[in-house]
Structure formats: C-alpha cells, structure tokens
C-alpha cells in the first residue's frame, strides 16, 4: 500500500518508515501540510500529524476533504477531546494518539482501507500482468488461456485481486475466505497459495510479504 506520511519529526518518521516498510507498505514522507495537499493523489492512505510547521493538521484535513476521499488516519500527540472530535468531524477515518503500538497501527490501517474499499465500486474484471480475473464469471486466464481453480483457490485469488497492488494480511485472507483464522485454517491457506502459484505460473506477480501476508501485482 502507498502510504503518505505527513510528519515533521524525523525520529518518528524514520521509525514509521522502517516499521511499515517491513510489513509491505511503501511510504512517502512529507514534512509540511502544503506538500501533503500536493502529494495525496499518489497515495492509498495518509497518516497525518497535526503539529506541522506551516499549517495546522486539522486545516490540512479540511482542505484535503474538499478535494479527495483518501482514507486519513490522524496520528498525533494531541489527545484532547476537542481535537479528537474536530478531527473526526472534519473527515478523519480514525484518530490515534502517540505513542501508538505498531500492531494497533497496522490493524487500524487495515480496517480503514477495508472500509474504504467496500465503499468504492469494485472492478469486476481485474487484470494484473497477463493474469485476468473475472470476479462475476469466476473465470481466470493467464496469457489468454483458461486456468482451472478450485472454489477455495479462486476465493483466495479473488480476495487478492480486489486489492491488487496492495499487501493483504494473512488474517484478512483467512477471515474473508474461511470466516475464522484458526491455526488449521492457517495451514490450509499455505496449501492453497502453493497450489495457486503452481497453476498461475507467475511467481513474480504473487509475492509474499514476510511476516504479514501477500500481494498480487506490483
């Protein structure tokens, strides 16, 4: 996922870039609110600090909401009730007060992007490289040739195709395809992904994000 980090503190920005990057996210960091208003078009989600050197982060959020539905998580040391309420009313999708645990931040990012994806019209035919996934017809072609998949293999591929180019966690895949993320299901996911890779024969397009999950496409 392409994450726009709006943060003027170099230490915080460095830690977030390293941590989120290790989980498959690609971060672009800007220090000023004005830069965020220019860079948001190339992002899938923004992490927005409020204490910026040029503009108050809430003003950045207000301006951003006037032109974009980009998911925004406010990530700030400003935890007073008034700021939280204003941030949410101005259109923040979530509001976190520093310091925040990485596991919680990752879960919040996943939840916000999942809600945003559900609200958008979904493409019914997804093309990644020479892989074509028709979600309505449940048909898969690679290089123009049909590929036969089992129901579960198709469900796994469809879950990844709906978020093509974005890292999808193991937890999210197991919840969506099986309904519960038990240990036995985790093993089943591994088996189905192995079979899926063998049938697609495009290992460069179905990649593993170590310690997090998987991504279809670049």
């Amino acid at each position: 996922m392409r994450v726009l980090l709006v943060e003027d503190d170099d230490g915080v920005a460095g830690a977030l870039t390293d941590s989120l990057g290790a989980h498959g996210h690609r971060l672009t960091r800007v220090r000023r609110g004005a830069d965020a208003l220019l860079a948001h078009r190339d992002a899938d989600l923004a992490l927005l600090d409020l204490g910026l050197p040029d503009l108050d982060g809430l003003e950045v959020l207000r301006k951003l909401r006037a032109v974009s539905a980009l998911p925004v998580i406010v990530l700030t040391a400003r935890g007073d009730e008034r700021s939280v309420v204003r941030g949410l009313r101005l259109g923040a999708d979530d509001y976190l007060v520093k310091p925040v645990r990485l596991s919680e931040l990752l879960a919040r990012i996943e939840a916000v992007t999942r809600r945003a994806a559900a609200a958008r019209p979904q493409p019914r035919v997804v093309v990644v490289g020479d892989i074509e996934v028709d979600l309505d017809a449940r048909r898969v072609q690679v290089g123009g040739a049909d590929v036969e998949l089992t129901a579960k293999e198709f469900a796994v591929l469809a879950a990844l195709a709906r978020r093509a180019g974005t890292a999808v966690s193991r937890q999210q895949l197991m919840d969506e395809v099986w309904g519960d993320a038990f240990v036995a299901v985790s093993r089943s996911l591994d088996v189905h992904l192995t079979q899926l890779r063998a049938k697609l024969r495009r290992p460069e397009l179905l990649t593993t994000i170590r310690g997090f999950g998987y991504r279809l496409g670049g």
Side-chain angles (χ1 to χ4, degrees):
M1 180 183 306
R2 300 170 301 170
V3 177
L4 174 63
L5 175 61
V6 190
E7 171 62 67
D8 67 328
D9 186 301
D10 291 338
V12 172
L16 286 172
T17 299
D18 292 343
S19 299
L20 295 179
H23 286 81
H25 299 296
R26 290 172 286 176
L27 268 74
T28 298
R29 183 261 181 120
V30 297
R31 293 178 172 83
R32 304 186 319 130
D35 296 329
L37 295 172
L38 294 174
H40 74 273
R41 295 179 183 84
D42 297 321
D44 301 310
L45 176 139
L47 296 177
L48 175 64
D49 186 23
L50 298 185
L52 301 173
D54 60 333
L55 293 171
D56 186 273
L58 291 175
E59 179 64 12
V60 175
L61 178 59
R62 187 188 68 77
K63 291 177 178 289
L64 187 59
R65 276 292 165 263
V67 297
S68 174
L70 177 73
V72 176
I73 297 177
V74 172
L75 184 59
T76 180
R78 197 184 299 176
D80 61 282
E81 182 179 359
R82 183 171 180 270
S83 294
V84 175
V85 170
R86 284 195 65 205
L88 295 173
R89 284 180 174 170
L90 284 170
D93 296 273
D94 208 339
Y95 193 111
L96 296 175
V97 179
K98 300 173 184 175
V100 63
R101 291 172 296 184
L102 176 62
S103 57
E104 180 182 359
L105 177 57
L106 289 169
R108 298 292 187 106
I109 288 173
E110 187 174 303
V112 165
T113 53
R114 185 165 59 241
R115 291 196 300 268
R120 290 194 300 266
Q122 296 295 311
R124 305 314 298 170
V125 177
V126 179
V127 178
V128 177
D130 65 348
I131 299 175
E132 183 174 303
V133 184
D134 189 323
L135 298 172
D136 290 328
R138 299 180 66 83
R139 181 183 183 185
V140 179
Q141 291 187 319
V142 178
D146 287 335
V147 176
E148 295 298 324
L149 301 180
T150 67
K152 277 291 191 287
E153 288 166 357
F154 182 84
V156 172
L157 180 60
L160 293 168
R162 292 188 189 99
R163 305 166 181 84
T166 300
V168 183
S169 72
R170 289 178 60 87
Q171 178 85 32
Q172 189 171 349
L173 280 175
M174 290 185 287
D175 285 349
E176 187 166 325
V177 176
W178 281 273
D180 281 300
F182 293 122
V183 174
V185 172
S186 182
R187 174 58 183 154
S188 184
L189 174 61
D190 293 333
V191 171
H192 281 85
L193 277 161
T194 297
Q195 294 170 340
L196 193 55
R197 280 195 171 102
K199 291 182 178 181
L200 295 178
R201 293 176 285 109
R202 298 293 187 273
E204 73 281 5
L205 294 178
L206 181 50
T207 57
T208 299
I209 310 299
R210 186 176 298 276
F212 181 75
Y214 307 91
R215 181 176 61 238
L216 180 66

